[in-house]
Amino acid sequence: MNSLIYDSPFGLLRIITNENKLVSVKLVDAKNENDVMSSHDVVALETVNQLQQYFNKKRTEFDLPISYGNASPFQVAVWESLQRIPYGETVSYSELASMAGSEKAFRAVGNANRNNPIAIIIPCHRCIAKNGNLHGYFYGLEKKKFLLDLEQLG
């Protein structure tokens, strides 16, 4: 596994890759001694590149090879559904449950979002409460609002 830190407008993001696939993008407080990347890690470098483009409003979709690790089939269905939500748009937890093939499983969708290992790229921030309010983001509602505001066109 390779790990590197990207100091983004969102905060310090630890990017972890393994066997030419993206495994994790998580917000962290500080860099550690394990955050050393091989200069040949094309996936990590491309992840940083695409995230920079996203934060500069020059990218609306990500194109990276992802590893879901030991995720359940339902979690994978939710995460793949999240990736189909267009940039700048949101869906409710119940809409996301339907997209993932289990229309009544909106609480399980929330749990899958909470366990999303690849922040921003798997855009769980685009899932909001049915009434339109921001609800439940692992990094806090202020970070969720930051990403949703970033994605507003204009």
Side-chain angles (χ1 to χ4, degrees):
M1 287 218 195
N2 289 310
S3 173
L4 83 119
I5 292 289
Y6 164 47
D7 190 1
S8 79
F10 188 72
L12 291 177
L13 293 173
R14 178 170 289 123
I15 297 167
I16 298 175
T17 61
N18 191 26
E19 297 178 4
N20 295 317
K21 294 206 176 193
L22 181 60
V23 174
S24 176
V25 175
K26 292 193 176 185
L27 189 64
V28 296
D29 293 328
K31 186 175 183 173
N32 68 39
E33 68 277 356
N34 295 325
D35 294 319
V36 179
M37 176 195 71
S38 161
S39 61
H40 303 292
D41 190 337
V42 176
V43 173
L45 294 173
E46 184 58 22
T47 300
V48 169
N49 180 49
Q50 289 189 26
L51 283 166
Q52 287 174 329
Q53 292 170 351
Y54 169 81
F55 287 119
N56 289 320
K57 293 188 158 220
K58 296 188 183 321
R59 175 174 289 276
T60 59
E61 295 179 6
F62 294 94
D63 182 22
L64 297 161
I66 292 175
S67 170
Y68 295 113
N70 294 327
S72 72
F74 180 75
Q75 287 174 316
V76 172
V78 170
W79 299 337
E80 287 178 345
S81 295
L82 283 165
Q83 293 174 79
R84 291 193 301 274
I85 302 169
Y87 179 92
E89 294 184 22
T90 58
V91 299
S92 70
Y93 288 88
S94 56
E95 288 172 314
L96 183 57
S98 290
M99 290 169 65
S102 298
E103 65 184 52
K104 297 201 187 287
F106 54 91
R107 284 197 174 103
V109 161
N111 193 42
N113 282 356
R114 195 169 21 266
N115 290 304
N116 172 11
I118 304 176
I120 304 166
I121 292 164
I122 298 177
C124 57
H125 61 275
R126 294 181 188 155
C127 194
I128 61 173
K130 190 180 263 187
N131 65 6
N133 290 338
L134 299 187
H135 181 74
Y137 188 60
F138 185 80
Y139 298 115
L141 296 183
E142 187 175 300
K143 290 290 191 183
K144 185 172 195 165
K145 184 176 181 338
F146 171 85
L147 293 172
L148 293 174
D149 288 348
L150 175 76
E151 292 183 5
Q152 291 310 300
L153 303 175

